[in-house]
Amino acid sequence: ESVISEQVRSVSLDIFLIFRLESSHCHSYIMANDIGDNNLVNDPFTSALRKPDVLEQLASDPGVHQHLADPGFVEQIQKLIELAKSPDASSNDIMKSAAVGQQIAQAGHKDPRVMQALMTLQGQRLIVEEKDLKRAEDFGDMKRREPVQLEQLRLVKDLTSAEDAKTKGNEYFKKSDFSAALAHYEKGIELLRAQEEVSAVLLTALLSNAAMCLLKLKWPDRAKKSASQAIAVIRQAKDETFDQSKLFYRRALACEMLKELDLAVDDMARAFQQAKKADLSLAEQHRLKGEVERLKKLKASHEQSIERKVQEKQNEKEAEVKRLQGAELLAKQAAKPTAPGLSEDYLKEQDFSHWCRTKINEVLPKVSHKCPNGAVITVTDVKEQSKIQASITTKRGTRALYYEMDLHCGWTAKAKEGEMKGVIRVYNIAHDTSFHLGGDENTSYMYQLGWDHRLSGDWVENIRTEAAELFDLISFKVVEVITELQKK
């Protein structure tokens, strides 16, 4: 590694990680054969993290400096520093010290920022692009970054007026730069809270706007908190003339994203009442009324889904008891001659795996999604590694369906800018799970998406986002196949 590092002073993350991943299997061996005079393993990462000025050294590098505004990154670096200084890292037991080196290397494999920091500490430069960070976040390898990063903090560092912060934040919001807008709104809130006398209306507006940015950036828990703070400010000010419909509307949307549907319906109803109280336009009142009805339907559907899951689990338990009883009976029958008149159909199991696979291969390649920009994403094939099992067990005329699927499908996207290929895996499909967007991984279908990371551009990002729609379409087709199977 040191030889390669000397030859290549600046390397892209994709190429570097290929090398690191290929070498990870023999990492312990390499370290175990690199022993210093003090009988300690000289792992370069561990040694670099033992230095007294790690954070100062990282702050001096432009590439890593930008990450230090993120608390999650700083926390991870501090944990690695503690690990590098732990007794195991300095142990005379080679296996213990090698294990520490592996833990640090694995942290770098998962988080590109950490790998960049580790290389910086060794005097090397590693290029990390936004696509690398997004990929790590999407796969859950890296803790999600804060919505406001160093780039946005630099925009607001010289602001001294909360009103100016609000105005500039609105400009960034109109440009759909929600992180920059949020940074300005939060700066305005900070400036106001440092004052002795605060404008309740301005503080409420800033908190409300911050909540909207957080909704756009998919931080519903923080959006709910910000909207709640805005409501509390206006109530404390006892301003009966202030239109609170936006505050309750935004908190309702946050509750919906958090699956707190009871609270979402309640807040949306309050938003509608506030709109009537403020005598807003009939169009706005009609829109909010429609939102109330939409959330009520969503709540009812969610409750029915929960009831179905409870019933399905109960049915599954009963079916399992019956299956076990039938298995015990078959074992007893095998041990003695069949009693006269006992039907062979007392317990029968039919395998429908082949039929199911054939149907899946027929219907899924017909699935396609048309994107708003005109691009078309089509499922091309069902991969051989897909797992499809299905059977129907009959006992005394009672039938029970058991199935399990783990589908790997190829897809192709065609846009005016070019063509892109990828794969989607839809899994956790079984008789005790169901299709439910945002559902629990133990009870709902799940999916993973893969694409060609060599392509770049806005059109690629759009395709990547839109390809997630295939999950819904594939799930619907799977449900149709299962429904047909249930009739057999």
Side-chain angles (χ1 to χ4, degrees):
E1 293 177 30
S2 61
V3 173
I4 290 179
S5 298
E6 287 296 325
Q7 292 176 345
V8 186
R9 306 295 293 186
S10 179
V11 62
S12 78
L13 183 66
D14 285 334
I15 297 173
F16 182 78
L17 284 184
I18 290 172
F19 168 73
R20 289 293 303 172
L21 288 170
E22 288 296 325
S23 65
S24 64
H25 297 292
C26 59
H27 195 61
S28 297
Y29 176 81
I30 292 171
M31 293 191 296
N33 285 276
D34 183 17
I35 304 175
D37 296 334
N38 58 352
N39 291 326
L40 297 179
V41 173
N42 292 325
D43 174 57
F45 289 166
T46 305
S47 300
L49 288 167
R50 288 201 191 106
K51 296 177 182 178
D53 59 343
V54 170
L55 291 177
E56 291 81 358
Q57 197 173 339
L58 294 178
S60 65
D61 182 84
V64 182
H65 178 71
Q66 60 181 328
H67 306 315
L68 292 174
D70 190 287
F73 172 72
V74 175
E75 179 185 353
Q76 192 169 10
I77 292 296
Q78 288 173 337
K79 286 181 179 179
L80 292 179
I81 292 173
E82 291 175 7
L83 181 62
K85 295 179 178 179
S86 66
D88 282 352
S90 304
S91 173
N92 287 326
D93 185 333
I94 293 176
M95 297 309 295
K96 286 184 178 180
S97 53
V100 170
Q102 283 184 320
Q103 288 182 56
I104 294 172
Q106 286 167 1
H109 291 329
K110 291 183 177 180
D111 190 335
R113 301 172 303 174
V114 172
M115 183 59 75
Q116 187 180 31
L118 293 173
M119 294 299 292
T120 296
L121 293 174
Q122 296 179 73
Q124 310 301 320
R125 182 167 177 258
L126 181 65
I127 300 169
V128 173
E129 299 178 351
E130 178 62 23
K131 66 177 183 179
D132 301 317
L133 301 174
K134 284 292 294 178
R135 187 189 314 170
E137 282 183 321
D138 291 344
F139 281 98
D141 288 339
M142 184 180 98
K143 185 177 180 181
R144 191 180 179 195
R145 290 169 291 169
E146 288 291 311
V148 175
Q149 294 288 307
L150 184 62
E151 179 185 353
Q152 291 81 36
L153 291 175
R154 284 172 174 160
L155 296 174
V156 302
K157 67 182 179 66
D158 296 326
L159 285 175
T160 57
S161 166
E163 191 66 55
D164 288 346
K166 176 174 175 287
T167 301
K168 291 183 179 180
N170 291 345
E171 291 173 2
Y172 279 106
F173 189 91
K174 289 176 183 176
K175 296 176 185 176
S176 296
D177 191 343
F178 304 119
S179 291
L182 178 61
H184 282 81
Y185 296 142
E186 288 184 341
K187 181 66 175 181
I189 294 167
E190 177 188 328
L191 291 170
L192 282 179
R193 286 178 170 163
Q195 299 175 6
E196 292 185 3
E197 293 186 6
V198 176
S199 167
V201 172
L202 179 55
L203 180 56
T204 300
L206 287 167
L207 286 165
S208 177
N209 290 354
M212 195 62 205
C213 288
L214 289 164
L215 284 172
K216 293 287 187 180
L217 294 167
K218 310 298 183 188
W219 290 85
D221 51 341
R222 298 188 187 184
K224 179 184 176 183
K225 181 179 179 180
S226 189
S228 297
Q229 289 175 340
I231 293 168
V233 168
I234 210 67
R235 283 181 177 172
Q236 189 174 359
K238 297 180 180 179
D239 188 344
E240 297 294 331
T241 62
F242 189 90
D243 172 24
Q244 300 182 48
S245 61
K246 284 185 178 180
L247 308 183
F248 285 107
Y249 173 74
R250 290 169 182 177
R251 192 168 74 173
L253 293 181
C255 290
E256 180 185 359
M257 292 175 71
L258 292 168
K259 307 299 181 186
E260 298 172 353
L261 297 179
D262 285 338
L263 297 176
V265 170
D266 183 58
D267 273 346
M268 195 62 77
R270 292 187 186 187
F272 175 51
Q273 293 300 324
Q274 287 291 326
K276 290 199 294 185
K277 181 180 177 181
D279 197 24
L280 298 186
S281 67
L282 291 177
E284 178 63 11
Q285 292 184 40
H286 180 73
R287 185 182 74 84
L288 290 173
K289 186 178 180 181
E291 285 291 284
V292 174
E293 294 304 315
R294 179 184 69 81
L295 287 175
K296 284 182 177 179
K297 290 179 181 178
L298 185 61
K299 177 190 171 189
S301 175
H302 181 65
E303 290 173 347
Q304 290 173 4
S305 177
I306 292 174
E307 290 177 3
R308 269 198 314 273
K309 289 175 183 176
V310 171
Q311 187 60 49
E312 285 173 1
K313 285 186 176 180
Q314 183 61 34
N315 292 343
E316 175 60 25
K317 286 180 181 179
E318 293 176 0
E320 181 67 14
V321 170
K322 291 178 180 178
R323 188 182 68 80
L324 291 174
Q325 289 174 343
E328 290 174 1
L329 182 59
L330 282 177
K332 291 179 181 178
Q333 289 176 344
K336 64 180 183 179
T338 304
L342 183 61
S343 171
E344 292 181 357
D345 293 332
Y346 177 80
L347 182 67
K348 182 172 66 176
E349 183 174 353
Q350 294 175 281
D351 188 355
F352 282 89
S353 300
H354 177 72
W355 179 90
C356 209
R357 178 178 284 275
T358 302
K359 292 296 293 185
I360 290 293
N361 282 327
E362 286 178 4
V363 300
L364 292 194
K366 299 176 183 178
V367 169
S368 65
H369 168 65
K370 187 172 183 179
C371 307
N373 65 354
V376 178
I377 307 173
T378 305
V379 174
T380 55
D381 63 317
V382 180
K383 304 294 184 184
E384 283 297 322
Q385 66 261 41
S386 297
K387 177 184 177 183
I388 303 175
Q389 296 177 341
S391 63
I392 296 178
T393 301
T394 305
K395 178 186 174 185
R396 288 181 177 173
T398 302
R399 293 156 52 83
L401 172 62
Y402 301 92
Y403 58 90
E404 184 178 355
M405 300 186 203
D406 185 346
L407 305 176
H408 297 252
C409 304
W411 55 264
T412 299
K414 293 183 179 180
K416 60 182 181 181
E417 296 87 350
E419 185 173 303
M420 178 177 175
K421 293 185 178 181
V423 292
I424 181 170
R425 177 193 176 200
V426 182
Y427 61 101
N428 215 33
I429 304 171
H431 48 271
D432 54 355
T433 63
S434 60
F435 172 62
H436 180 66
L437 285 175
D440 182 80
E441 62 181 5
N442 296 315
T443 59
S444 304
Y445 299 177
M446 306 297 291
Y447 79 98
Q448 293 175 338
L449 200 62
W451 58 92
D452 189 344
H453 291 282
R454 294 171 297 180
L455 300 177
S456 61
D458 292 340
W459 74 277
V460 173
E461 290 299 314
N462 182 63
I463 292 294
R464 192 186 76 169
T465 302
E466 291 294 327
E469 296 295 327
L470 293 177
F471 172 54
D472 302 23
L473 300 172
I474 290 174
S475 297
F476 292 150
K477 290 295 183 182
V478 169
V479 171
E480 288 178 6
V481 172
I482 292 169
T483 302
E484 187 176 347
L485 177 59
Q486 289 171 337
K487 297 176 182 179
K488 288 193 169 291

